Amino acid sequence: MSVKVVIADDHEVVRRGLVSLLSGSEVKIVGEAANGEDACRTVRKLKPDVVLLDIRMPGKDGLSALEKIRSEMPGVRGVMLSTFDNPTYVARAVASGAHDYILKGSSRSELINSITGAAAGQLPM
């Protein structure tokens, strides 16, 4: 089973790295966004299983984007991706409807497990 994912991160090098890292797995990147507004539009258009969102982006941040996405499309799961191991961010992510909160330093298998787990509706890690 392949899991359709939209990646939202304001750094192109991070998006490209994630696309490369996830290639050859059951995770299929169907779209990319550079900010929260773009993420909302892209998810609305492509209807992925999971949206992988950076927390801090210019304009609408990942948390605001996730709230909007979850309110419009409750079937789309959200996984927050961050460099910040910050309990406040984790709590806000959960309150915004995130399925998981994963650090950018995570391994390929941790990232794949988080995304596929979110798509399957498993409990967050």
Side-chain angles (χ1 to χ4, degrees):
M1 176 196 96
S2 101
V3 178
K4 296 183 301 192
V5 177
V6 166
I7 297 174
D9 194 296
D10 55 324
H11 296 102
E12 183 181 7
V13 70
V14 172
R15 294 192 313 270
R16 294 273 166 244
L18 287 166
V19 168
S20 176
L21 186 71
L22 295 168
S23 71
S25 76
E26 62 267 41
V27 175
K28 302 294 172 228
I29 308 305
V30 295
E32 296 179 31
N35 59 54
E37 285 296 338
D38 196 19
C40 292
R41 277 192 302 276
T42 305
V43 167
R44 209 175 291 121
K45 183 174 140 195
L46 300 175
K47 298 175 180 50
D49 302 306
V50 176
V51 58
L52 189 59
L53 290 153
D54 184 17
I55 288 227
R56 290 174 66 175
M57 294 184 283
K60 183 188 285 282
D61 69 12
L63 294 168
S64 304
L66 180 62
E67 284 176 4
K68 185 164 179 55
I69 289 165
R70 296 282 297 154
S71 71
E72 291 179 10
M73 294 159 284
V76 176
R77 305 280 179 160
V79 173
M80 302 310 297
L81 185 65
S82 181
T83 52
F84 303 98
D85 189 3
N86 177 324
T88 305
Y89 279 162
V90 175
R92 284 185 57 209
V94 170
S96 298
H99 178 81
D100 206 351
Y101 184 102
I102 192 157
L103 296 174
K104 287 184 178 175
S106 297
S107 70
R108 178 179 191 261
S109 64
E110 288 169 328
L111 188 58
I112 290 170
N113 289 340
S114 175
I115 292 168
T116 56
Q122 294 169 357
L123 292 174
M125 298 197 308

